[in-house]
């Protein structure tokens, strides 16, 4: 075995990374690699911590990708060795410098447990319980973190018998030692707070999380019986945690991480919220809610929690108060006007204003400020103290105290505006900032991130407030007012754009364009965000603004946005502001063909930006938006002028080839999609310039990266459609068939295998394909027998319906039926009766028309379907088809857009985790590169009319007898229609 340490060090160096990773991939397929890898990770004698950490990450990724893989799984013996060794390994890595290593192994253990626990890892709970120590809290912390990672998914799972059995399995062996540990550790923590160690406190945080995990589905009897011990005011463990605050564990005031006492309080509050939702009667018995409300009220009103490290605890506490207000069981506690007024004064108002550290962040880390403060009141994204304070107001409004709450808040708003008028040049801007935020908080009743505020408090005139107090700040020159107020104005516009008229929104676009020129990063970023949202405003199902509305200023707007992006300089700085790139993308999507006069200039700048960021990809969101921008430019410009495709091909071929040559793996899936898009719209002559790619596309290694597969399938389908003759003459389609078989044999990739197979069937002549049909069909049937899933049955059935429905030379139902019958007599009848026909009624509406036409052609265009031994299935297929006709609305062609350029683009948002945790292996689809869905049977307008016509034309002598043998209770109406048409 080569020197793994040196290989992993090389994998961290950009100059040697590619070769090192290729070598590691090759070694990982060899016997003995995983034991060597494990030894490297846990061996303290290694003096290269970076290599050990890289090895731990590599192990985690191997486990994620191959533990339950059906094509290249980790051998069972190695799996058993890893299961046996991973918990002891984590315990051995308990030194202060081992935290990162331990975290990787912890994640690896959680992945294994998701697959194997409890069936194949039956001793895990005993191992964890036996490892809990009465004194070594470094070990305890490791054990508790492991248990929590394994139990955590229970919180969000739907209750099933299997989950119930797993939880009971855990409770039987883990609950008693865990509760014993909890009690002794909590007593130790609270008895001498001055001597409480960080590891003890951290262990109690994890233990409280586990308490939540164990009660997230049901209340174990041992915990239910001891409820008062844990929840009784002043005496219960959790209520005592809420007032535990040793000075020596208060943490660094400049560190934004909450202190351990605050973390313990936050997990306690989360737990009480769980009980409030699931076991409220238990809390009523002990009056726990009232006690904790009083504790957090006192803490929040003290004015002492002003630091960055306090923000998470303050937000959690405010969220708890909102949850209690929304609970009908405690509505009476907050019903009086006096209580509402005191709550707003003591709890809400101290947390509405921006803190000192936030103003510092506004200047020093502007993009972090934007990301943390962007949430719209009402979306539930209470990430900061002021968002959580706003949610308290929303809870009061929703609880039935709308009038009282609005009246009290109006007083504070008026006070803030008056203070601003009296001190415009001093600190009065802070008062107006708070007033504007209060309006947003009390006015927003319902909101979404995509559409902004969708329902408002009828007692608040949002439009009037905007006209009198907000619009003036949008108009003000940048240096005339504090930038926070201009940001407030743009955020107000972002939140309440749905309440403003089309004229008001159009009037503000030039102002926002001016704010893009601001020297303040937060200001120009919010301007981009507001423009993007306005351009995506809908009235009903239609976009409010079209290309005609922005064609005059779209080029200048793009110039400002791209100039801002380009000014970053380095790869990381250029890509750091995804809001600018998203806005540029939206401008392109809105302006569409009107950008044709400037498209070469825009494309050149986009390509230059791509060239810079490809040197060091760092922001997945930015990457998605720049590739979408390029794709949208291709889509709309080429649809208006097909001659421009050659320019796109020339300008993109070099940069895309460099990405492939340099193996920039984050971008390769996008490259395949762009190439597929351009090849699909290629109409002039054979696409010879693309043919050099074919050899790469059919090589197994390129399919090893899962995120490549969808783009590869689209690109190969484009080759099959656009260069059919060359694919046949050169034999390239054989490599495509090999890819089809690899994909279909995989449970993870079979969907893409069937999509690619459809491209083969519809383009490669049946006479050419006949020799490959038998091994293909046998592969399909073998997979059905060995790894059948509901998804596979659907795709299997759809494939046969597709193959039957399409009307192309040398391909007909008998080609497939005959191939199956050649393999084994009677096999087709078995497949039809037991797999296909039971699935027909389950086909989703989008596939009903295709299915109906496929069955119709099988019934009327197959000589083999009426041969002895097979014919007895004919009436069953007729009956299944008749069932489809009961819902005729799904059997007609859907309206198609007049052109590709007029089609809607369905964008899929990157989820929060993908935006914040780096690159994922998941496929990032380019929505703009995909045209409208193609109807493979577009030539048939109405499937039911087509069926009647084909039955009339079918001259089978036994037709009447076959129809009579169908289930008349199902098919009676269809038979009557056929008789009227003279088909019977």
């Amino acid at each position: 075995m080569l020197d793994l340490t040196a290989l992993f060090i090389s994998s961290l160096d950009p100059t040697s990374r590619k070769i090192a990773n290729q070598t590691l991939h090759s070694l990982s397929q060899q016997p003995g690699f995983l034991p060597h890898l494990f030894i490297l990770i846990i061996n303290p004698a290694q003096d290269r911590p970076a290599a050990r950490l890289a090895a731990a990450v590599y192990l985690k990724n191997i486990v994620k990708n191959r533990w339950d893989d059906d094509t290249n799984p980790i051998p069972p013996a190695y799996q058993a060795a890893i299961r046996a060794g991973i918990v002891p390994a984590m315990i051995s890595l308990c030194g202060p410098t081992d935290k990162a290593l331990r975290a990787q192994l912890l994640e690896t253990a959680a992945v294994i447990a998701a697959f194997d626990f409890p069936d194949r890892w039956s001793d895990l709970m005993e191992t964890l319980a036996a490892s809990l120590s009465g004194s070594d809290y470094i070990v305890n912390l490791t054990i508790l973190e492991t248990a929590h990672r394994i139990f955590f998914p229970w919180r969000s799972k739907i209750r099933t018998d299997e989950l119930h059995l797993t939880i009971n399995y855990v409770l039987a062996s883990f609950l008693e030692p865990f509760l014993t540990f909890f009690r002794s550790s909590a007593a130790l923590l609270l008895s001498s707070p001055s001597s409480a160690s960080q590891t003890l406190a951290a262990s109690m945080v994890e233990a409280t999380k586990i308490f939540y995990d164990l009660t997230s589905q049901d209340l174990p009897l041992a915990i239910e019986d001891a409820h008062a011990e844990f929840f009784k005011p002043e005496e219960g463990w959790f209520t005592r945690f809420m007032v535990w605050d040793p000075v020596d564990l208060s943490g660094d005031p400049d560190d934004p991480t909450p202190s351990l006492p605050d973390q313990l309080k936050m997990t306690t509050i989360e737990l009480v919220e769980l009980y409030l939702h699931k076991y409220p009667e238990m809390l009523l018995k002990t009056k726990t809610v009232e006690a904790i409300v009083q504790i957090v009220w006192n803490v929040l009103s003290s004015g002492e929690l002003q630091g960055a490290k306090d923000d998470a605890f303050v937000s959690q506490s405010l969220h708890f108060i909102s949850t209690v207000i929304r609970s009908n069981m405690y509505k009476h506690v907050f019903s009086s006007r006096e209580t509402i007024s005191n709550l707003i004064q003591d709890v809400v108002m101290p947390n509405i204003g921006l803190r000192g550290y936030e103003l510092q962040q506004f200047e020093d880390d502007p993009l972090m400020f934007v990301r943390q403060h962007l949430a719209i009141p009402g979306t539930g994204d209470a990430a900061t103290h002021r968002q959580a304070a706003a949610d308290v107001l929303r809870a009061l409004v929703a609880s039935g105290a709308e009038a009282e709450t609005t009246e009290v808040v109006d007083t504070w708003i008026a006070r803030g505006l008056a203070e601003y008028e009296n001190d415009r040049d001093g600190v009065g801007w802070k008062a107006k900032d708070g007033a504007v935020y209060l309006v947003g908080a009390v006015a927003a009743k319902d909101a979404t991130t995509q559409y902004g505020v969708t329902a408002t408090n009828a007692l608040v005139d949002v439009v009037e407030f905007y006209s009198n107090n907000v619009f003036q700040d949008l108009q003000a020159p940048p240096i005339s007012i504090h930038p926070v107020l201009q940001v407030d104005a743009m955020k107000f516009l972002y939140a309440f754009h749905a309440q403003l008229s089309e004229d008001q929104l159009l009037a503000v676009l030039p102002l926002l364009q001016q704010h893009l020129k601001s020297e303040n990063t937060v200001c120009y970023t919010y301007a981009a965000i507001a423009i993007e949202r306005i351009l995506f405003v809908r009235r009903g199902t239609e976009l409010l603004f079209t290309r005609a509305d922005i064609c005059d200023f779209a080029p200048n707007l793009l110039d400002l946005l791209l100039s801002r992006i380009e000014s970053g300089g380095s790869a990381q700085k250029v890509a750091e502001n995804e809001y600018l790139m998203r806005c540029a993308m939206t401008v392109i999507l809105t302006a569409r063909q009107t950008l044709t006069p400037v498209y070469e200039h825009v494309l050149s700048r986009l390509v230059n930006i791509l060239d810079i960021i490809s040197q060091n990809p760092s922001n997945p969101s930015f990457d998605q938006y720049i590739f979408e921008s390029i794709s949208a430019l291709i889509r709309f410009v080429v649809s208006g002028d097909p001659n421009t495709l050659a320019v796109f091909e020339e300008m993109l071929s070099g940069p895309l080839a460099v990405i492939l040559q340099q193996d920039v793996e984050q971008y390769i899936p996008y490259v395949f999609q762009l190439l597929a898009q351009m090849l699909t719209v290629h109409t002039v002559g054979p696409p010879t310039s693309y043919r050099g790619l074919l050899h790469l596309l059919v090589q197994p290694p390129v399919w090893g990266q899962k995120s490549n597969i969808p783009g590869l399938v689209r690109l190969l389908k484009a080759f099959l459609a656009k260069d059919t003759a060359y694919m046949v003459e050169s034999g390239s389609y054989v490599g495509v068939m090999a890819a089809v078989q690899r994909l279909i044999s995989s449970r993870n990739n079979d969907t893409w295998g069937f999509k690619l197979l459809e491209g083969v069937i519809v383009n490669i002549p049946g006479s050419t394909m006949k020799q490959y049909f038998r091994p293909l069909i046998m592969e399909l049937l073998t997979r059905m027998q060995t790894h059948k899933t509901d998804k596979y049955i659907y795709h299997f059935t759809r494939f046969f319906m597709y193959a039957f429905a399409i009307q192309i030379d040398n391909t007909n139902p008998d080609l497939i039926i005959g191939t199956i019958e050649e393999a084994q007599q009677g096999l087709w009848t078995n497949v039809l009766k037991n797999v296909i026909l039971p699935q027909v009624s389950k086909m989703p509406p989008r596939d009903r028309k295709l299915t109906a036409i496929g069955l119709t052609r099988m019934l009327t265009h197959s000589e083999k379907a009426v041969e002895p031994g097979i014919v007895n299935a004919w009436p069953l297929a007729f009956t299944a088809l008749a069932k489809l006709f009961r819902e005729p609305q799904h059997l007609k062609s859907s309206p198609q857009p007049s052109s590709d350029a007029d089609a809607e683009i369905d964008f899929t948002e990157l989820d929060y985790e993908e935006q914040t945790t780096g690159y994922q292996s998941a496929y990032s689809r380019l929505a703009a590169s995909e045209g409208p869905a193609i109807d493979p049977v577009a030539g048939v307008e109405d499937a039911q009319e087509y069926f009647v016509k084909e039955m009339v034309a079918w001259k089978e002598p036994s037709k009447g007898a076959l129809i009579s043998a169908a289930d008349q209770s199902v098919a009676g109406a269809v038979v009557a229609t056929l008789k009227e048409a003279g088909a019977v």
Side-chain angles (χ1 to χ4, degrees):
M1 186 71 65
L2 293 175
D3 184 351
L4 289 183
T5 301
L7 273 175
F8 280 112
I9 291 296
S10 296
S11 73
L12 302 174
D13 184 346
T15 62
S16 55
R17 178 180 300 149
K18 182 176 181 180
I19 295 175
N21 284 338
Q22 289 173 345
T23 305
L24 285 168
H25 178 74
S26 177
L27 289 173
S28 69
Q29 311 301 315
Q30 297 181 13
F33 174 79
L34 287 175
H36 278 84
L37 185 64
F38 211 71
I39 291 170
L40 170 60
I41 295 167
I42 65 175
N43 186 1
Q46 292 287 343
D47 59 352
R48 307 294 288 273
R52 295 173 67 198
L53 181 58
V57 173
Y58 201 83
L59 174 66
K60 177 189 69 177
N61 290 334
I62 286 179
V63 167
K64 281 184 175 180
N65 295 325
R66 292 179 50 197
W67 195 266
D68 196 43
D69 189 57
D70 47 2
T71 56
N72 184 27
I74 296 172
Y78 290 153
Q79 290 189 354
I82 293 173
R83 283 193 298 265
I86 196 162
V87 173
M90 286 189 290
I91 292 174
S92 72
L93 295 171
C94 286
T97 61
D98 294 330
K99 185 175 181 180
L101 272 175
R102 193 166 64 246
Q104 294 300 323
L105 290 184
L106 176 62
E107 191 170 344
T108 303
V111 172
I112 296 170
F115 288 119
D116 289 2
F117 180 76
D119 296 340
R120 288 178 286 179
W121 205 355
S122 57
D123 63 342
L124 176 59
M125 285 301 105
E126 288 81 357
T127 301
L128 294 178
S131 300
L132 287 172
S133 166
S135 57
D136 191 342
Y137 280 91
I138 296 177
V139 170
N140 289 337
L141 182 58
T142 299
I143 297 303
L144 294 170
E145 286 173 341
T146 304
H148 172 55
R149 283 299 302 270
I150 294 167
F151 304 157
F152 179 78
W154 299 349
R155 298 186 179 195
S156 57
K157 281 189 175 180
I158 297 173
R159 185 179 179 85
T160 62
D161 290 342
E162 182 182 6
L163 178 62
H164 179 70
L165 290 172
T166 299
I167 293 175
N168 282 342
Y169 182 88
V170 169
L171 295 176
S173 55
F174 186 77
L175 181 59
E176 184 177 344
F178 168 73
L179 290 178
T180 300
F181 168 84
F182 189 103
R183 290 173 172 123
S184 62
S185 300
L188 180 62
L189 183 82
L190 298 171
S191 62
S192 52
S194 61
S195 62
S197 69
Q198 288 195 353
T199 49
L200 172 58
S203 295
M204 285 315 303
V205 172
E206 292 300 316
T208 305
K209 292 177 183 178
I210 291 173
F211 198 101
Y212 185 118
D213 298 333
L214 297 177
T215 55
S216 61
Q217 289 287 334
D218 206 349
L219 205 54
L221 185 60
I223 291 178
E224 183 177 358
D225 290 345
H227 177 75
E229 176 193 352
F230 289 96
F231 289 93
K232 188 176 181 181
E234 299 183 2
E235 299 176 16
W237 297 119
F238 294 124
T239 51
R240 292 174 69 187
F241 290 166
M242 289 300 301
V243 294
W244 181 73
D245 201 12
V247 176
D248 55 339
L249 290 180
S250 59
D252 182 350
D254 295 326
D255 185 353
T257 305
S259 67
L260 285 167
D262 280 354
Q263 290 181 43
L264 186 56
K265 294 169 189 174
M266 289 161 61
T267 54
T268 297
I269 291 172
E270 281 187 282
L271 177 62
V272 176
E273 285 189 22
L274 170 72
Y275 269 64
L276 193 57
H277 289 301
K278 291 186 70 72
Y279 320 113
E281 69 286 349
M282 302 295 292
L283 297 178
L284 279 173
K285 291 179 184 178
T286 50
K287 299 189 180 299
T288 305
V289 171
E290 295 90 334
I292 294 184
V293 165
Q294 191 61 57
I295 291 170
V296 298
W297 188 318
N298 292 340
V299 172
L300 293 172
S301 62
S302 69
E304 297 176 358
L305 304 180
Q306 298 291 316
K309 72 181 183 64
D310 303 316
D311 207 39
F313 170 64
V314 170
S315 298
Q316 185 72 56
S317 300
L318 289 165
H319 183 270
F320 174 70
I321 291 176
S322 301
T323 303
V324 175
I325 293 171
R326 288 187 172 96
S327 170
N328 290 328
M329 303 180 77
Y330 298 93
K331 187 180 290 188
H332 63 282
V333 177
F334 301 95
S335 59
S336 73
R337 190 187 186 285
E338 180 182 4
T339 302
I340 292 171
S341 179
N342 289 337
L343 180 66
I344 293 172
Q345 176 177 305
D346 296 345
V347 173
V348 175
M349 291 310 299
N351 293 293
I352 283 292
L354 290 170
R355 312 270 202 237
Y357 70 87
E358 291 171 307
L359 294 175
Q360 190 70 41
Q361 186 185 56
F362 186 92
E363 299 294 337
D364 297 341
D365 195 357
L367 288 176
M368 182 58 70
F369 179 91
V370 171
R371 292 183 182 109
Q372 290 185 350
H373 291 263
L374 186 59
I376 298 172
T379 59
D381 301 328
T384 69
H385 61 90
R386 66 188 334 209
Q387 291 159 1
D391 195 48
V392 173
L393 296 180
R394 290 190 61 251
L396 288 169
V397 169
S399 70
E402 186 174 31
E404 297 88 342
T405 303
T406 306
E407 181 184 348
V408 173
V409 172
D410 277 347
T411 304
W412 286 99
I413 293 169
R415 183 185 302 180
L417 294 175
E419 287 182 23
Y420 173 63
E421 292 300 326
N422 293 331
D423 188 17
R424 277 177 170 263
D425 298 326
V427 295
W429 67 267
K430 293 183 178 181
K432 184 172 184 180
D433 167 64
V436 173
Y437 201 86
L438 282 172
V439 172
V442 77
K445 295 185 75 172
D446 286 301
T448 67
T449 301
Q450 183 174 3
Y451 297 110
V453 175
T454 55
T456 59
N457 179 345
L459 301 177
V460 180
D461 192 331
V462 171
V463 177
E464 181 182 33
F465 185 84
Y466 167 79
S467 300
N468 295 340
N469 300 285
V470 176
F471 187 66
Q472 58 186 264
D473 293 339
L474 286 171
Q475 292 177 304
I479 59 173
S480 63
I481 63 172
H482 197 283
V484 167
L485 293 184
Q486 293 193 314
V487 169
D488 287 342
M490 287 183 276
K491 185 174 179 182
F492 194 92
L493 186 64
Y494 167 69
F496 291 100
H497 59 260
Q499 282 67 48
L500 302 179
S501 68
E502 181 177 355
D503 289 340
Q504 286 175 309
L505 293 174
L506 272 176
V508 86
L509 282 174
L511 300 177
L512 293 172
Q513 189 169 338
Q514 288 302 310
H515 285 297
L516 285 176
K517 301 176 184 178
S518 171
E519 293 304 312
N520 185 283
T521 302
V522 179
C523 282
Y524 68 66
T525 300
Y526 262 99
I529 291 168
I531 291 169
E532 185 267 328
R533 282 296 90 187
I534 288 172
L535 293 182
F536 263 157
V537 169
R538 291 178 180 271
R539 292 292 187 259
T541 60
E542 299 294 322
L543 287 169
L544 183 61
F545 299 110
T546 65
R547 67 198 83 173
D549 296 307
I550 72 163
C551 62
D552 292 337
F553 59 87
N556 188 46
L557 194 52
L558 277 175
D559 179 64
L560 287 170
L561 290 163
L562 296 179
S563 294
R564 278 288 177 204
I565 293 168
E566 291 161 343
S567 67
S570 67
Q572 192 163 350
K573 295 296 288 183
V574 165
E576 71 176 355
N577 195 330
E578 68 269 20
Y579 303 105
L580 296 175
M581 195 66 246
R582 183 181 174 98
C583 184
M585 175 193 75
T586 305
V587 172
I588 293 171
L589 290 170
T590 307
R592 301 196 171 198
Q593 290 96 329
T594 63
L595 292 174
T596 300
V598 297
Y599 84 92
E600 287 188 64
H601 179 62
V602 173
L603 179 62
S604 175
R605 297 178 73 176
L606 291 172
V607 168
N608 288 336
I609 293 170
L610 182 60
D611 181 57
I612 294 169
I613 64 173
S614 64
Q615 297 168 24
N616 182 22
S618 58
N619 186 341
S621 297
F622 187 97
D623 299 340
Q624 179 82 30
Y625 301 145
I626 190 171
F627 278 103
E628 288 284 13
S629 298
I630 295 171
S631 178
L633 206 59
I634 296 170
R635 176 170 179 168
F636 298 124
V637 173
V638 173
S639 67
D641 182 1
N643 293 325
T644 59
L645 177 62
V647 178
F648 280 103
E649 290 174 331
E650 181 180 354
M651 294 181 68
L652 288 171
S653 60
L656 299 186
V658 169
I659 290 172
L660 293 174
Q661 290 163 6
Q662 295 183 351
D663 195 23
V664 186
E665 63 180 36
Q666 300 93 331
Y667 291 177
I668 289 176
Y670 294 122
V671 169
F672 289 147
Q673 291 175 81
L674 285 179
L675 290 169
Q677 180 184 8
M678 290 190 292
L679 182 54
T680 299
V681 295
H682 190 101
T683 56
V684 181
T688 54
S689 60
Y690 291 83
R691 290 174 181 169
L693 290 166
L694 273 172
H695 178 71
L696 167 69
L697 302 184
V698 296
Q699 298 301 311
V702 77
W703 296 84
Q705 186 74 22
K706 293 180 181 178
S707 55
N708 289 347
I709 291 174
L712 283 167
V713 168
R714 283 189 57 199
L715 184 50
L716 285 176
K717 286 183 71 175
F719 269 110
L720 289 166
K722 292 294 182 178
D723 209 6
T724 307
Y726 178 78
M727 296 291 286
V728 174
E729 292 166 8
S730 65
S732 299
Y733 74 96
V734 178
V736 178
M737 286 302 300
V740 166
Q741 290 184 289
R742 281 197 304 271
L743 292 172
I744 286 178
S745 66
S746 165
R747 282 174 291 175
N748 294 324
N749 300 319
D750 50 14
T751 297
W752 298 105
F754 279 107
K755 286 181 182 293
L756 184 54
L757 180 56
E758 288 179 4
V760 173
I761 294 297
V762 78
N763 290 295
I764 304 299
S767 55
T768 303
M769 280 295 300
K770 187 171 184 181
Q771 60 180 314
Y772 298 101
F773 256 98
R774 179 164 180 169
L776 170 66
I777 295 297
M778 295 313 297
E779 178 71 33
L780 296 178
L781 294 174
T782 300
R783 168 68 203 279
M784 177 66 71
Q785 193 172 29
T786 56
H787 293 102
K788 179 171 64 176
T789 63
D790 290 342
K791 181 185 71 165
Y792 184 80
I793 293 173
Y794 158 72
H795 285 295
F796 181 90
T797 301
R798 190 186 187 282
F799 163 69
F800 279 97
M801 295 301 100
Y802 181 92
F804 290 164
I806 57 175
Q807 301 180 35
I808 58 177
D809 294 341
N810 300 317
T811 299
N812 56 58
D814 278 345
L815 177 64
I816 294 175
I817 295 173
T819 300
I820 295 177
E821 284 296 294
E822 287 173 9
Q824 181 181 326
Q825 189 174 2
L827 183 56
W828 166 247
T829 303
N830 185 29
V831 170
L832 183 65
K833 286 183 177 180
N834 297 314
V835 180
I836 295 176
L837 294 182
Q839 177 66 29
V840 164
S841 62
K842 302 175 187 176
M843 297 300 279
R846 67 177 181 272
D847 292 322
R848 297 282 180 87
K849 179 187 166 192
L850 174 70
T851 303
I853 294 172
L855 283 175
T856 297
R857 284 182 54 78
M858 186 196 78
L859 293 173
T860 61
H861 287 259
S862 171
E863 295 179 4
K864 292 188 176 294
V866 292
E867 287 182 355
I870 300 178
V871 69
N872 62 345
W874 196 101
L876 299 176
F878 184 91
T879 303
L881 181 56
K883 285 183 181 178
L884 288 181
F885 291 151
R886 290 176 172 178
E887 296 182 278
Q889 70 272 23
H890 301 309
L891 301 175
K892 297 181 179 180
S893 295
S894 301
Q896 296 293 310
S898 56
S899 72
D900 186 33
D902 295 325
E904 281 292 326
I905 297 177
D906 176 26
F907 280 96
T908 303
E909 292 284 345
L910 290 171
D911 64 28
Y912 178 74
E913 181 163 344
E914 187 169 353
Q915 293 186 40
T916 55
T917 60
Y919 287 99
Q920 309 294 306
S921 60
Y923 163 58
S924 293
R925 145 184 178 263
L926 282 183
S929 72
E930 300 176 358
I934 296 174
D935 181 359
V937 286
V940 176
E941 184 67 28
D942 186 313
Q944 198 159 0
E945 291 179 1
Y946 174 79
F947 164 75
V948 173
K949 186 183 81 170
E950 294 300 305
M951 288 297 292
V952 169
W954 189 42
K955 301 306 180 183
E956 168 63 34
S958 59
K959 176 165 58 173
L962 289 171
I963 293 174
S964 299
D967 185 344
Q968 299 301 306
S969 66
V970 174
V974 175
V975 174
T977 301
L978 292 176
K979 287 180 178 178
E980 288 179 18
V984 182

